[in-house]
């Protein structure tokens, strides 16, 4: 007794193969959509922004006149901001990761920290801006300074660094620990001489990617009051400052068409810096992959 | 030996012809089949025909290409991106590797049971009717009939008939494997390929599945890989011995195990290596 | 010449005291680092709570939650948050309409269809898209997508909900694509083989076996995408305008919660004014929305994790 109607199956098969082919094309187009958007975006920005890109642009301050406008203060401000954010966020992030992976006992507090970190990763950046504005700028009286901005950014990217460092530490095989302990090394000696060196590439990669997020972040800095029009360079971490994305925002928000072109030029610089950072991250990841 | 030949000669011409035809009616004809994974050749010039409505066992040590061979029979081997092959594999007279041959059609006619049970994360019922439903059978009544028939054929019906809506992952390993056999039977294939179907199971489940194979061979042609030579001897009509990607010997199971022609076959079945 | 290593180690014994102090202080330092993240959460919660309470001392919470007009400036200020919420949800809805189908389709393609070399191109491009700063997307929305839309929709104002909505969607595609693909990739190959061996097409394997098996991960990626869209700031600040409107008309200028917060901090709302405190009330609402989405995503991906 045959319950399966072979002819029906045969007839249906043509239709099924056809929809397989069509949907494959549709799925493919969806995947390529991203590439198309990226291409259009880059094409537009380079076509508009390249003519303004010269040494003067890099060495001039912002200006009311598009052709004189430059990005010197913004680049310097971004560098200053990174000089604060990088050490603070990396020390805190790696420290948290080491605590969670090496020292933490499996208890309520540890579980709370874990849940807390994954929730912090999903908090919108404006909320971090509100925190920075209230706690650093007002409560701690840091004012609208680089250090207030740097601290805010550090907290914003902390979850990214923690997760990346945790993964890097977890990837170290147990045999490495055993080898170190078997020679009489203490826990801290093992962490310092075995764990950290082995996890370093992963930590660096995660750190650079987190910093590249920070360097493009606009909203929290706008909120803690980074300036958008300054004609001097910061002198120390208490100075007022502007950064690349804020400068770009400022130019974008102006109604004059010419400033949009200048904004494109600024975006080229920003994207170039991001490309540079990401290339370094990829290089590190590539160089140190598959060591065990 | 001589007696048999004499007996055969005494048979009438017609019945001799019939017998020969029955003996040689092959569902698969494999000719000069070579296969490479990247640069490594896994199969060398396989020539083999697989008889209809019989159980063909494939034995051989690990890495001898038996799994590759069985996966070539329903073109599952193509899931490995670096795979290349030449030669022909004819199923029902047609070369399955010819460009116009539809792989989905082949796999509808040729079912497969894997080494480890791989039910879908769905209910028992949904697992069994997945195939028919995919192939366009929508009527609930027919689907239910198919499910019952397939589960009965797979000797699982009595154990699961009251809990068809439960998740298949709740079954034991042996039950899961029989569910996979039922799933395979539900689309009424002509051939069932089994890749060491009992290697992950306990002896009791293994016994059930062996019994099942005996019952199934009345309606299906079965190709079964096994590590276990007793199993091959118990359940198969034909046995092929693979070694280093070649067929060393392919004969009636009784003959192969009692009078192996090749020294290497003898060494293997007597346990000298492997 | 023999070196007595044992003696050298013993001579270093003085260091042992230092070492044992180190062994005790180091964990404390790391615990301190870990506490910072907890302090951050406490800081965020307290900041929002305290300032929001101040705000609700001046404006009734009923008016805030049910008022249909948001006009926080001047004499006749009114603080009904609904227009900001509908503005936010409008942007989110448009964004998800773009990001869900595209992201899921890319994930299915990458996980079930793509040959190795296509994956090698598409995946890095998605990573690059995910790494582009939002201000750049905002610029793109204002200077490219809006003019393009104006070609098709006559009288579309410069500031509207549609353009930033689409661009927020584009921004979220990589996230949904990569999280969904992760979920699908973790479905074991044996299931694909089981379905293929029954004569399924690749499409049927994807839609009937892989997607259902990975559903919890896919839903979690959707929810995280929604959360990102709700919290997105710069794209809407640049391209959506700043007119809080209770509307579902995508061609109108609207304002989102994030957009409002930025607008106020950019302007010179004096410290201590009601307008100043209103950003905390709005921030609180925003925080609750995204937190709910994130918790729901965590719950779903944890609760319905498939055991293969």
């Amino acid at each position: 007794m045959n319950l399966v109607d072979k002819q029906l199956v045969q007839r249906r098969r043509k239709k099924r193969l056809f929809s397989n082919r069509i949907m494959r094309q549709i799925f493919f187009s969806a995947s390529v959509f991203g590439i198309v958007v990226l291409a259009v975006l880059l094409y537009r920005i380079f076509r508009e922004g390249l003519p303004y890109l010269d040494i003067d642009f890099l060495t001039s301050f912002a200006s009311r006149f598009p052709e004189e406008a430059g990005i010197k203060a913004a680049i310097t401000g971004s560098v200053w901001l990174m000089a604060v954010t990088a050490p603070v966020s990396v020390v805190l992030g790696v420290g948290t990761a080491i605590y969670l992976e090496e020292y933490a006992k499996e208890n309520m507090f540890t579980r709370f920290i874990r849940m807390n970190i994954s929730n912090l990763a999903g908090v919108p950046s404006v909320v971090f801006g509100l925190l920075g504005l209230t706690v650093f700028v007002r409560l701690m009286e840091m004012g609208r300074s680089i250090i207030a901005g740097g601290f805010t950014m550090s907290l914003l990217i902390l979850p990214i660094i923690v997760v990346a460092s945790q993964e890097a530490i977890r990837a170290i095989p147990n045999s490495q620990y055993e080898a170190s302990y078997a020679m009489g090394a203490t826990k801290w000696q093992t962490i310092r001489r075995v764990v950290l060196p082995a996890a370093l590439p992963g930590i660096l990669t995660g750190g650079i990617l987190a910093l590249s997020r920070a360097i493009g972040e606009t909203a929290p800095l706008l909120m803690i009051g980074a300036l958008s029009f300054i004609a001097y360079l910061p002198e120390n971490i208490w100075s007022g400052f502007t950064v690349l994305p804020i400068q770009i925002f400022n130019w974008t928000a102006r109604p004059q068409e010419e400033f949009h072109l200048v904004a494109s030029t600024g975006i080229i610089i920003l994207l170039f810096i991001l490309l540079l950072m990401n290339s370094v991250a990829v290089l590190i990841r590539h160089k140190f992959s598959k060591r065990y | 030996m001589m007696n048999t030949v004499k007996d055969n000669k005494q048979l009438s011409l017609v019945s001799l012809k019939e017998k020969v035809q029955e003996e040689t009616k092959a569902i698969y004809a494999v000719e000069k089949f070579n296969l490479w994974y990247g640069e490594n050749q896994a199969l060398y010039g396989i020539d083999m025909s697989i008889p209809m409505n019989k159980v063909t066992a494939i034995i051989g040590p690990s890495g001898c290409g038996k799994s590759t061979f069985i996966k070539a029979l329903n073109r599952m081997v193509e899931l490995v991106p670096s795979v290349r092959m030449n030669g022909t594999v004819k199923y029902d007279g047609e070369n399955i590797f010819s460009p116009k041959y539809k792989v989905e059609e082949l796999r509808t006619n040729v079912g497969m049971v894997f080494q480890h049970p791989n039910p879908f994360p769905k209910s028992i019922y949904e697992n069994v009717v997945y195939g028919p439903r995919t192939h366009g059978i929508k009527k609930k009544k027919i689907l239910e009939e198919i499910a019952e028939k397939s589960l009965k054929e797979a000797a699982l019906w009595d154990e699961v008939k009251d809990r068809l809506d439960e998740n298949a992952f709740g079954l034991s390993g042996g039950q899961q494997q029989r569910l996979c056999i039922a799933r395979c039977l539900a689309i009424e294939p002509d051939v069932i390929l089994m890749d060491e179907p009992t290697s992950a199971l306990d002896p009791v489940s293994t016994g059930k599945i062996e019994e099942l194979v005996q019952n199934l061979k009345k309606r299906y042609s079965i190709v079964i890989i096994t590590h276990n030579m007793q199993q091959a001897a118990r359940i198969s009509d034909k046995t092929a011995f693979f070694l280093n990607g070649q067929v060393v010997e392919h004969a009636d199971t009784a003959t192969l195990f009692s009078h192996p022609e090749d020294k290497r076959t003898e060494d293997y079945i007597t346990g000298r290596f492997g | 010449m023999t070196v007595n290593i044992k003696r050298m180690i013993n001579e270093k014994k003085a260091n042992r005291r230092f070492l044992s102090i180190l062994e005790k202080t180091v964990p404390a330092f790391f615990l301190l680092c870990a506490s910072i993240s907890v302090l951050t959460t406490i800081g965020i919660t307290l900041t929002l709570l305290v300032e929001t309470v101040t705000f609700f001392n001046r404006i009734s919470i009923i008016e805030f939650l049910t008022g249909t007009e948001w006009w926080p400036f001047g004499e006749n200020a009114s603080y009904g948050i609904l227009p900001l919420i509908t503005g936010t949800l409008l942007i989110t809805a448009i964004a998800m309409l773009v990001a869900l189908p595209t992201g899921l389709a890319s994930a299915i393609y990458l996980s079930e269809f793509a040959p190795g070399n296509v994956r090698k191109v598409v995946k890095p491009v998605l990573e690059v898209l995910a790494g582009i700063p939002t201000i750049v997307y905002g610029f793109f929305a204002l200077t490219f997508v809006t003019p393009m839309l104006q070609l098709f929709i006559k009288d579309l104002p410069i500031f509207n909900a549609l353009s930033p909505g689409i661009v927020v969607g584009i921004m979220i595609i990589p996230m949904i694509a990569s999280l969904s693909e992760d979920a699908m990739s973790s479905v074991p190959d044996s299931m694909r083989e089981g379905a293929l061996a029954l004569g399924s097409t690749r499409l049927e394997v994807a839609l009937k076996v892989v997607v259902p098996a990975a559903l919890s991960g896919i839903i979690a990626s959707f929810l995280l995408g929604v959360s990102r869209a709700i919290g997105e700031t710069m794209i809407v600040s640049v391209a959506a305008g700043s007119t809080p409107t209770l509307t579902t008309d995508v061609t109108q200028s609207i304002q989102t919660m994030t957009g409002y917060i930025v607008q106020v901090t950019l302007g010179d709302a004096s410290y201590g004014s009601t307008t100043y405190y209103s950003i905390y009330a709005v921030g609180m609402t925003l925080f609750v929305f995204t937190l709910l989405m994130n918790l729901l995503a965590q719950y779903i991906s944890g609760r319905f994790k498939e055991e293969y």
Side-chain angles (χ1 to χ4, degrees):
Chain A
M1 180 184 67
N2 277 343
L3 291 170
V4 177
D5 178 353
K6 296 273 170 184
Q7 268 166 349
L8 173 77
V9 169
Q10 191 74 32
R11 260 183 285 125
R12 286 271 310 170
R13 187 173 297 120
K14 272 204 187 93
K15 229 171 105 190
R16 289 169 47 225
L17 291 178
F18 180 71
S19 60
N20 184 50
R21 232 179 18 248
I22 297 295
M23 288 308 282
R24 186 196 160 93
Q25 285 309 317
I26 291 175
F27 292 155
F28 175 73
S29 318
S31 311
V32 172
F33 180 66
I35 301 182
V36 173
V37 170
L38 187 65
V40 170
L41 191 144
L42 290 180
Y43 171 75
R44 294 264 313 171
I45 283 166
F46 275 86
R47 207 193 56 183
E48 294 188 343
L50 269 186
Y52 280 87
L53 184 64
D54 52 21
I55 290 295
D56 281 349
F57 182 75
L58 295 174
T59 56
S60 308
F61 288 109
S63 164
R64 268 180 297 140
F65 307 104
E67 46 297 349
E68 288 173 17
I71 205 159
K72 185 179 181 183
I75 292 181
T76 324
S78 281
V79 172
W80 271 93
L81 189 75
M82 286 305 110
V84 174
T85 308
V88 173
S89 61
V90 170
V91 168
L92 287 180
V94 176
T96 306
I98 292 179
Y99 176 76
L100 287 176
E101 292 303 313
E102 304 291 342
Y103 289 102
K105 297 186 177 59
E106 208 35 67
N107 55 23
M108 284 287 282
F109 181 63
T110 308
R111 272 201 298 280
F112 178 68
I113 295 184
R114 289 218 173 93
M115 203 185 91
N116 184 49
I117 286 169
S118 59
N119 277 326
L120 272 186
V123 172
S125 58
V126 275
V127 174
F128 279 96
L130 285 173
L131 174 76
L133 177 66
T134 319
V135 174
F136 297 130
V137 176
R138 297 213 192 280
L139 208 64
M140 297 187 174
E141 297 182 344
M142 290 176 184
R144 312 185 155 223
S145 61
I146 291 172
I147 187 160
F151 281 176
T152 310
M153 279 301 170
S154 302
L155 296 184
L156 178 68
I157 63 172
L158 190 60
I160 309 179
I161 298 188
V162 173
V163 170
S165 309
Q166 275 182 295
E167 275 169 14
I169 292 173
R170 243 179 263 152
I172 300 168
N174 233 345
S175 57
Q176 299 275 312
Y177 289 85
E178 286 165 358
S180 173
Y181 287 134
M183 280 187 284
T186 62
K187 186 156 193 166
W188 168 237
Q189 285 173 322
T190 304
I191 291 173
R192 192 163 65 99
R193 296 183 192 279
V194 176
V195 177
L196 281 180
L200 195 63
I203 292 172
L204 279 179
T205 313
I208 292 172
L209 292 179
L211 285 178
S212 64
R213 161 102 195 270
I215 217 166
E217 193 62 65
T218 323
L221 293 178
L222 271 181
M223 299 185 52
I224 65 151
L227 306 161
S228 53
F229 194 94
I230 58 173
Y232 56 88
L233 295 182
E235 285 168 1
N236 55 41
I237 52 172
W238 303 100
S239 307
F241 68 108
T242 187
V243 291
L244 279 169
I246 289 186
Q247 188 65 68
I248 293 165
F249 171 64
N250 179 266
W251 284 328
T252 306
R254 290 181 189 223
Q256 300 100 313
E257 195 71 23
E258 291 84 357
F259 273 110
H260 289 174
L261 306 183
V262 182
S264 297
T265 320
I267 290 174
I268 294 178
I269 304 285
L270 180 60
L271 291 182
F272 178 74
I273 294 174
L274 288 175
L275 183 71
L276 217 61
M277 294 172 79
N278 279 280
S279 313
V280 173
V282 168
L283 273 183
I284 294 174
R285 188 159 58 183
H286 191 72
K287 188 156 191 275
F288 291 96
S289 64
K290 286 195 196 137
R291 286 187 311 159
Y292 297 110
Chain B
M1 267 299 250
M2 291 305 281
N3 270 343
T4 334
V5 175
K6 264 182 201 160
D7 286 349
N8 273 351
K9 273 184 180 163
Q10 280 163 1
L11 285 167
S12 76
L13 201 64
V14 178
S15 72
L16 178 70
K17 239 184 184 170
E18 265 174 8
K19 187 153 175 88
V20 168
Q21 222 164 30
E22 196 198 66
E23 286 271 303
T24 54
K25 180 142 193 204
I27 189 83
Y28 270 107
V30 183
E31 286 156 24
K32 299 191 189 67
F33 186 67
N34 295 298
L35 185 142
W36 293 261
Y37 292 118
E39 292 306 306
N40 302 324
Q41 188 161 4
L43 294 175
Y44 295 85
I46 307 287
D47 277 300
M48 196 173 150
S49 70
I50 293 170
M52 199 181 245
N53 290 7
K54 295 261 180 318
V55 178
T56 303
I58 296 179
I59 59 170
S62 301
C64 67
K66 55 192 193 302
S67 200
T68 299
F69 174 71
I70 202 174
K71 282 186 171 157
L73 295 181
N74 67 346
R75 289 177 55 179
M76 289 296 276
V77 75
E78 287 172 359
L79 296 182
V80 181
S82 66
V83 80
R84 285 182 301 127
M85 53 219 137
N86 64 30
T88 55
V89 176
K90 282 186 180 155
Y91 169 74
D92 212 8
E94 275 185 86
N95 183 7
I96 62 171
F97 288 106
S98 88
K100 63 179 200 310
Y101 201 93
K102 293 275 177 280
V103 66
E104 287 82 6
E105 181 173 352
L106 173 71
R107 290 174 188 161
T108 312
N109 297 327
V110 181
M112 186 165 205
V113 178
F114 295 82
Q115 188 167 5
H116 296 276
N118 58 349
F120 302 131
K122 301 172 190 274
S123 72
I124 294 169
Y125 175 77
E126 287 298 325
N127 262 283
V128 182
V129 300
Y130 172 90
R133 209 176 248 164
T134 297
H135 291 289
I137 295 165
K138 300 270 187 266
K139 285 207 188 79
K140 198 162 176 284
K141 187 129 190 311
I142 297 187
L143 286 176
E144 276 167 3
E145 264 182 70
I146 290 177
E148 182 175 343
K149 177 184 153 216
S150 314
L151 284 167
K152 275 180 178 159
E153 269 190 311
L156 191 61
W157 175 250
D158 291 333
E159 289 159 65
V160 300
K161 65 182 175 210
D162 300 322
R163 45 174 177 148
L164 290 174
D165 292 330
E166 282 176 30
N167 194 306
F169 286 2
L171 298 174
S172 74
Q175 288 172 325
Q176 285 188 12
Q177 192 63 301
R178 275 178 285 150
L179 176 65
C180 291
I181 293 175
R183 185 176 71 185
C184 168
L185 297 176
I187 51 172
E188 295 174 357
D190 300 323
V191 182
I192 303 173
L193 307 174
M194 296 181 155
D195 186 355
E196 297 193 41
T198 60
S199 69
L201 303 181
D202 61 277
V204 177
S205 306
T206 302
K208 281 190 178 157
I209 286 180
E210 283 184 12
E211 203 178 307
L212 182 56
V213 170
Q214 287 303 326
N215 291 332
L216 290 177
K217 79 172 177 192
K218 290 165 204 149
R219 278 161 312 226
Y220 305 94
S221 316
I222 295 174
V223 183
I224 181 167
I225 293 183
T226 174
H227 244 102
N228 180 332
M229 271 163 293
Q230 284 80 16
Q231 186 173 65
R234 276 197 299 271
I235 63 177
S236 71
D237 306 304
K238 291 265 190 180
T239 299
F241 172 55
F242 272 59
L243 187 64
N244 299 329
Q246 285 166 309
V247 185
V248 173
E249 199 166 341
H250 180 209
D252 284 344
T253 300
T255 320
L256 187 127
F257 278 98
S258 54
H259 304 289
E261 271 177 18
D262 197 291
K263 180 79 173 63
R264 291 169 292 175
T265 315
E266 193 182 338
D267 286 350
Y268 183 71
I269 61 178
T270 53
R272 266 176 227 150
F273 74 97
Chain C
M1 192 185 76
T2 53
V3 181
N4 191 335
I5 294 173
K6 202 136 213 150
R7 204 178 68 210
M8 285 171 68
I9 291 175
N10 279 334
E11 277 168 5
K12 294 260 179 190
K13 234 177 190 163
N15 274 347
R16 291 275 164 88
R17 289 245 329 258
F18 174 65
L19 263 184
S20 73
I21 294 170
L22 208 58
E23 284 300 320
K24 290 204 178 74
T25 48
V26 159
F29 170 73
F30 290 136
L31 179 60
L32 190 73
C33 291
S35 313
I36 296 285
S37 75
V38 178
L39 284 181
T40 307
T41 305
I42 295 174
I44 288 174
T45 321
L46 275 187
T47 302
L48 293 176
L49 266 182
V50 169
E51 310 287 37
T52 304
V53 166
T54 316
F55 175 77
F56 283 139
N57 282 336
R58 301 186 191 182
I59 306 294
S60 88
I61 190 164
I62 307 288
E63 183 194 335
F64 178 73
L65 289 179
T66 58
T68 56
E69 206 180 334
W70 186 265
W71 182 249
F73 309 105
E75 292 288 299
N76 299 317
S78 94
Y79 296 92
I81 198 177
L82 284 179
L84 292 183
I85 291 183
T86 55
T88 303
L89 293 183
L90 195 58
I91 293 283
T92 307
I94 301 168
M96 292 326 273
L97 279 179
V98 173
L100 287 193
T102 321
L104 187 56
S106 316
I108 292 177
Y109 184 76
L110 289 174
S111 157
E112 305 302 315
F113 289 94
N117 46 1
V118 177
R119 276 177 67 92
K120 275 193 194 119
V121 176
V122 174
K123 288 207 67 154
V125 170
L126 286 179
E127 268 177 51
V128 170
L129 273 179
I132 287 179
T134 53
I135 178 66
V136 179
Y137 279 114
F139 177 82
F140 185 63
L142 183 71
T143 65
F144 179 71
V145 177
T146 302
M148 285 290 279
L149 291 172
Q150 280 170 331
L151 294 180
F152 299 102
I153 307 169
K154 283 214 161 56
D155 312 323
L156 183 73
I158 285 282
F159 298 117
N160 59 73
L162 189 57
S163 163
I166 292 172
V167 176
V168 170
I170 292 174
M171 182 196 79
I172 295 171
I173 289 173
M175 182 179 164
I176 290 184
S178 82
L179 289 178
S180 300
E181 199 222 332
D182 286 350
M184 291 194 225
S185 302
S186 66
V187 174
D189 272 344
S190 65
M191 296 208 178
R192 293 186 182 85
E193 286 173 6
L196 284 174
L198 290 169
S200 309
T201 61
R202 282 281 177 181
L203 178 70
E204 287 152 357
V205 173
L207 296 187
K208 293 188 181 167
V209 177
V210 177
V211 168
L215 200 60
S216 60
I218 293 171
I219 292 176
S221 85
F222 288 180
L223 291 171
L224 291 178
V226 169
S227 162
R228 270 286 286 282
I230 291 175
E232 170 42 42
T233 312
M234 292 322 290
I235 301 175
V236 289
S237 292
V238 168
S242 49
T243 37
T245 326
L246 191 65
T247 180
T248 52
D249 180 0
V250 295
T251 63
Q252 280 196 45
S253 168
I254 50 110
Q255 188 165 45
T256 65
M257 294 188 269
T258 53
Y260 171 71
I261 296 174
V262 165
Q263 188 202 0
V264 170
T265 50
L266 272 183
D268 39 19
S270 53
Y271 176 61
S273 66
T274 308
T275 312
Y276 174 81
Y277 286 117
S278 72
I279 62 174
Y280 291 93
V282 173
M284 186 74 172
T285 317
L286 176 68
F287 180 66
V288 168
F289 264 81
T290 53
L291 187 68
L292 281 181
M293 287 296 156
N294 293 336
L295 289 177
L296 196 59
Q298 279 173 29
Y299 172 77
I300 286 178
S301 62
R303 170 74 177 71
F304 299 101
K305 196 156 228 141
E306 291 290 354
E307 304 282 341
Y308 302 112

